[in-house]
Amino acid sequence: MIGELLAVPRLLSKIMFYKIRKGASCVNSKKKGMTLVTKQRAAGWAFLTPATLMIAIMSFYPMFRAFILSLQTGTGKNMKFTGISNYTRILADKVFQKSIGNTFLYLIIQVPIMLILAILLAQLLNNRDLRLKGFFRTCVFLPCATSLVSYALIFRSLFATDGLINSVLVNLHILDQGYNFLGNSGSAKIVIIIALVWRWTGYNMVFYLSALQNIEYSVYEAAKIDGANGWKTFWGITVPLLRPTIIMTFIMSINGTLQLFDESVNLTKGGPANSTITMSHYIYNTCFINVPNFGYAAAMSFLVFIMVAVLAFINLKVGDTRD
């Protein structure tokens, strides 16, 4: 008991000594002008500043310049400020309106099909008992590693009048002669959608496969013990846990589809009669193929930017389930 009473003053003296020492160190650091918190903030800003400057220079400044350019007409040094005339012209431009309709048609049909296939393939290739998983994963992902121009040319040759698809259909007596898939509006759009699904399904599958591998296998075992079949397990466990990844891939797919360019240029050249042209393809033609009109092209580009931002915001709000 006496020892414990003697230990109390010693403990109090140690606490007082620690506080005095800490106060002295704070006074010294304040004299130097840098507290610990200030040093941490300075280090954080030191790491953030280069990336912030690069984003501002490479992204936000071009957006601002594009908006200023969209309010002007002319070429070179003869650019004149004309207000919103380029934006009002969009309302009367039938070709651009058609390109918007084509792009959203590809978006509405291709993106859901692609993402559903990607989820199913990821679920299939995540099976522990599946043999040669690495080989099958590589085969599904391989189209993504193909050059955009190369794969477009491959599909162009496949669906040509004398291409492989027509040869097979004629030999099977489904068609009497080769069908001009790329020369007809409806079939040309279907070819573009098939090409997009083939090209990007494996890319999205990798994201889902990575997310599935982070789910504990014991969760599936517990569901199996409770009597849940594969379909109930998929809808009750897999899909809810994949929600963040689904939202991310959906936003990425929307962004990519609204900027669709290579397929329209290399597969159909926007034809026939601009029936398959996309917004990016039409903007490119306005800048470099037809009579150059950079102000009008900037106005269309800024409109595409607004579309991407609005759709991304809607997806984030719809997918956010936090209270």
Side-chain angles (χ1 to χ4, degrees), residues 63-271:
M63 291 178 193
F64 174 75
R65 289 295 302 164
F67 178 70
I68 298 299
L69 185 61
S70 69
L71 302 176
Q72 300 174 340
T73 56
T75 56
K77 297 181 179 180
N78 299 321
M79 299 293 291
K80 296 180 180 179
F81 180 80
T82 56
I84 61 171
S85 61
N86 288 322
Y87 291 96
T88 56
R89 179 180 171 182
I90 290 176
L91 300 176
D93 191 341
K94 300 299 183 183
V95 178
F96 185 66
Q97 293 173 12
K98 183 178 288 186
S99 70
I100 294 175
N102 293 335
T103 305
F104 274 89
L105 177 67
Y106 302 144
L107 174 66
I108 293 170
I109 297 177
Q110 175 257 336
V111 171
I113 294 174
M114 175 184 65
L115 295 183
I116 291 172
L117 285 176
I119 294 174
L120 294 177
L121 286 171
Q123 181 74 9
L124 179 64
L125 296 177
N126 192 46
N127 189 348
R128 286 186 172 185
D129 300 326
L130 181 66
R131 296 182 179 180
L132 301 175
K133 287 187 293 187
F135 172 75
F136 292 123
R137 291 174 183 175
T138 303
C139 289
V140 176
F141 182 75
L142 194 59
C144 180
T146 309
S147 168
L148 289 169
V149 176
S150 300
Y151 104 90
L153 293 176
I154 290 171
F155 269 81
R156 186 177 178 85
S157 62
L158 282 174
F159 287 93
T161 308
D162 56 348
L164 177 63
I165 302 298
N166 272 310
S167 299
V168 172
L169 294 176
V170 170
N171 290 331
L172 293 175
H173 302 289
I174 297 175
L175 296 176
D176 296 329
Q177 58 182 1
Y179 182 76
N180 189 5
F181 287 100
L182 301 176
N184 293 277
S185 175
S187 58
K189 291 176 183 177
I190 293 174
V191 171
I192 290 177
I193 291 171
I194 293 173
L196 289 170
V197 172
W198 180 84
R199 175 69 164 73
W200 296 109
T201 297
Y203 177 80
N204 291 283
M205 182 207 69
V206 172
F207 291 103
Y208 295 131
L209 188 60
S210 176
L212 285 172
Q213 290 175 348
N214 288 325
I215 300 174
E216 291 292 337
Y217 195 74
S218 58
V219 177
Y220 293 106
E221 291 178 340
K224 189 175 182 180
I225 292 173
D226 290 339
N229 55 24
W231 187 251
K232 290 183 178 179
T233 302
F234 178 76
W235 281 108
I237 297 176
T238 303
V239 173
L241 293 176
L242 287 179
R243 186 187 297 274
T245 308
I246 293 173
I247 294 171
M248 180 194 69
T249 53
F250 202 73
I251 293 173
M252 291 170 56
S253 300
I254 289 174
N255 186 19
T257 306
L258 290 180
Q259 300 178 58
L260 193 62
F261 177 76
D262 293 88
E263 290 76 11
S264 174
V265 173
N266 295 309
L267 275 175
T268 62
K269 301 187 185 301

